[in-house]
Amino acid sequence: MLAAVAWEPNKPLVIEDVEVAPPQANEVRIKIVATGMCHTDLYILFESMKKESFPMILGHEAAGIIESVGPGVTEFQPGDKVIPLFISQCRECRFCKSPKTNQCEKGWIETQHVLKDSRFTCKGKKIEQFAGTSTFSQYTVVNQMAVAKIDPSAPLDKVCLIGCGICTGYGAAVNTAKVEPGSTCAVFGLGAVGLAAVMGCKAAGAKKIFAVDINPEKFEKAKVFGATDFVNPKDYDKPISQVLAEMTNGGVDYSLECVGNVEVMRSALESCVKGWGISVVVGWTELHDVATRPVQLIAGRTWKGSMFGGFKGKDGVPEMVKAYLGKKLLVDEFITHNMTLDQVNDAIELMKHGKCIRTVLNPFPQ
Ligand code: NAD
Ligand code: ZN
C-alpha cells in the first residue's frame, strides 16, 4: 500500500510503498477512505520531535471500511464502516468501567505515543504507528477495542473529522466543562477543535460565546458555529484576561484553551470569573509547565483538562455520527480543502500558516 512516512522530525513526509501485515488476533485491517489532518500531527512532526518515535506514519482523524479481521474478532465484518480511535475502549479496565473518564488503560498513551508493535514495514524498517491509528495511509491495522462502528449511510469523507477534532472540542464544552444554559463562554484558538468547542457551548445553551484568536480570518467561521463576540488579543495592549473580565463583569463562566500554548492556558484560566469559573485545557503540549498564582484557584476557579472531549469512543463516536446525520451537528462546515494523500505536505503547509480549518485527504485517488 501507499502511505505518507515521516522518516524524521521536521522534514516533509514521503509517500512510500509500505507493507501492512494482516490483522493478528483481535485486530482489524481498515481501508482508510478519508483522513483529516489535526494540529497534533504537526505538533509531533515539528514541535515534540521525539527522535525515537521516527520513522512513523502520522494521522489519527479518519474514517474507513473494514477490509479483513483477525482471529477472535466478532464485533466487525469486512465492509463495516468504522472510525479508528486514538483512545481505545476495552470496556474492562477500571477507567472504562468508570463513567467519569475515557482514559482506557489499553490506549497508546501507555505505549509512549506510538504503537511499538506496528504492522507496518518499509524498506526493511519497522514503521511506528502514531496514536495507535496512523491514518495517512491506505490501510491500517488496529485492535478491535480502538475501533467504532458507525452508521452505514455516513459519508466517510465528512465524518472522518468526528475521529478527533469535532469530538474533542464539542465534548470539552459539553462533557468536561459541562457548560450551562445562559452562561458566558470564551474559546481560545479557532481551529477545528476550537470551532467545535464553540458549537458545543452553543448546543449547551450558552448565551454569549467569545471567540478569541490572533488570526482574525478565523472570526467569520466562528460566527457560523455560534460565536457571538470576537476578540483578537493583538488589538489590546493589556492582558486578554483583563479585557475579557472587563467585558463580562468579572470574567466568563467557562473558558476552553484550544491552542496548545501554556501562556494561553494561563490566560484562559484567568479569564474565568472567580467563585465558579471553569477552564478546560484542550490544546496539546508537553514541552513546558503550565503555571498560575494559587490564589486564582483558591478564589474558586477550576482548572481541568480534556482528551477527545471526554468521549468514550465506541459509545460516543457512533452517537456523534448519528447527530450529524440527524442534522444536529455541523461537520461539512469544518472542511475547507480536499486533497489527495500525495498532497499531504501541501496540507501541512496550509495548517502551519493558518490557511485552513480542516483538509480532508483521500488516500485512493483514481
Ligand atoms: P489549528 O492549528 O487548526 O488551530 C489553532 C488556532 O489557535 C489557530 O486558529 C491559531 O491562529 C490560534 N492561536 C495560535 N496562537 C494563539 C494565541 N496566542 N491566542 C489565541 N489563538 C491562538 O489546531 P487544531 O487542529 O484546532 O488543534 C488545536 C489544539 O488542540 C492543538 O494543540 C492540538 O494538538 C490540540 N488537540 C488536542 C486534543 C485532545 O484530545 N486534547 C485532540 C486534538 C487536538
Ligand atoms: Zn487530533
Side-chain angles (χ1 to χ4, degrees), residues 6 80 106 118 125 128 140-141 146 152 156 187 189 248 268-269 302 307 321 323 359:
D80 286 347
K106 303 280 172 62
S118 92
K125 278 210 177 89
E128 305 290 359
T140 191
V141 176
L156 299 180
V187 176
T248 58
L269 174 77
T302 301
M307 200 186 288
V321 169
T359 302

Side-chain angles (χ1 to χ4, degrees), residues 23-69:
Q24 299 184 2
N26 302 313
E27 294 176 346
V28 298
R29 189 157 60 184
I30 302 170
K31 176 181 177 181
I32 303 293
V33 174
T35 177
M37 176 180 293
C38 164
H39 201 107
T40 309
D41 299 309
L42 270 66
Y43 168 80
I44 297 293
L45 191 60
F46 299 113
E47 293 174 57
S48 84
M49 305 209 299
K50 284 189 187 148
K51 273 218 153 61
E52 68 276 13
S53 316
F54 291 80
M56 72 169 129
I57 298 172
L58 289 163
H60 60 280
E61 183 181 83
I65 294 170
I66 299 285
E67 179 265 347
S68 58
V69 305

Side-chain angles (χ1 to χ4, degrees), residues 39-40 164 168 191-193 213 218 258-259 264 282 284 306 308 358:
H39 201 107
T40 309
C164 181
T168 297
V193 174
D213 203 301
K218 303 286 179 117
C258 304
V259 177
V264 180
V282 186
W284 196 284
S306 183
F308 197 49
R358 277 296 196 253

Side-chain angles (χ1 to χ4, degrees), residues 272-337:
C272 282
V273 67
K274 71 175 184 184
W276 59 77
I278 294 175
S279 188
V280 182
V281 173
V282 186
W284 196 284
T285 183
E286 288 168 273
L287 301 176
H288 306 283
D289 291 345
V290 62
T292 191
R293 293 282 164 88
V295 69
Q296 294 286 335
L297 302 174
I298 293 167
R301 295 177 185 85
T302 301
W303 216 351
K304 309 175 83 170
S306 183
M307 200 186 288
F308 197 49
F311 283 108
K312 291 177 186 281
K314 272 184 192 281
D315 298 337
V317 164
E319 288 300 317
M320 288 290 275
V321 169
K322 243 185 240 157
Y324 165 64
L325 294 174
K327 303 206 184 315
K328 295 193 175 77
L329 186 79
L330 301 180
V331 173
D332 301 14
E333 287 75 1
F334 290 94
I335 302 170
T336 51
H337 299 77

Side-chain angles (χ1 to χ4, degrees), residues 105-350:
E105 64 186 5
K106 303 280 172 62
W108 61 279
I109 284 285
E110 278 70 28
T111 59
Q112 290 185 313
H113 293 208
V114 289
L115 186 70
K116 287 286 169 202
D117 182 26
S118 92
R119 303 286 163 262
F120 305 128
T121 8
C122 181
K123 298 179 174 162
K125 278 210 177 89
K126 196 86 170 168
I127 309 291
E128 305 290 359
Q129 186 174 33
F130 169 61
T133 48
S134 283
T135 59
F136 293 168
S137 59
Q138 293 184 321
Y139 293 89
T140 191
V141 176
V142 178
N143 190 292
Q144 61 176 340
M145 67 193 172
V147 184
K149 198 191 293 196
I150 60 169
D151 192 308
S153 69
L156 299 180
D157 58 342
K158 304 288 192 291
V159 299
C160 56
L161 303 188
I162 290 174
C164 181
I166 294 180
C167 282
T168 297
Y170 190 89
V174 170
N175 302 328
T176 311
K178 297 194 198 311
V179 169
E180 288 180 346
S183 60
T184 298
C185 302
V187 176
F188 291 71
L190 304 172
V193 174
L195 294 172
V198 168
M199 177 163 62
C201 292
K202 186 182 174 193
K207 116 178 150 277
K208 240 176 173 351
I209 304 169
F210 288 86
V212 184
D213 203 301
I214 53 172
N215 177 356
E217 286 174 27
K218 303 286 179 117
F219 293 149
E220 205 176 312
K221 226 8 175 304
K223 205 178 244 174
V224 173
F225 289 97
T228 59
D229 297 78
F230 307 88
V231 180
N232 181 351
K234 288 187 168 165
D235 292 345
Y236 299 88
D237 50 16
K238 50 188 167 188
I240 200 64
S241 54
Q242 201 180 320
V243 172
L244 283 168
E246 284 165 12
M247 289 173 160
T248 58
N249 187 27
V252 298
D253 301 307
Y254 303 94
S255 69
L256 298 113
E257 197 276 359
C258 304
V259 177
N261 173 318
V262 294
E263 295 303 327
V264 180
M265 291 171 192
R266 178 176 195 154
S267 299
L269 174 77
E270 296 177 1
S271 300
C272 282
V273 67
K274 71 175 184 184
W276 59 77
I278 294 175
S279 188
V280 182
V281 173
V282 186
W284 196 284
T285 183
E286 288 168 273
L287 301 176
H288 306 283
D289 291 345
V290 62
T292 191
R293 293 282 164 88
V295 69
Q296 294 286 335
L297 302 174
I298 293 167
R301 295 177 185 85
T302 301
W303 216 351
K304 309 175 83 170
S306 183
M307 200 186 288
F308 197 49
F311 283 108
K312 291 177 186 281
K314 272 184 192 281
D315 298 337
V317 164
E319 288 300 317
M320 288 290 275
V321 169
K322 243 185 240 157
Y324 165 64
L325 294 174
K327 303 206 184 315
K328 295 193 175 77
L329 186 79
L330 301 180
V331 173
D332 301 14
E333 287 75 1
F334 290 94
I335 302 170
T336 51
H337 299 77
N338 288 279
M339 292 186 182
T340 53
L341 183 62
D342 55 356
Q343 295 172 296
V344 65
N345 292 308
D346 298 336
I348 289 175
E349 287 305 306
L350 283 176

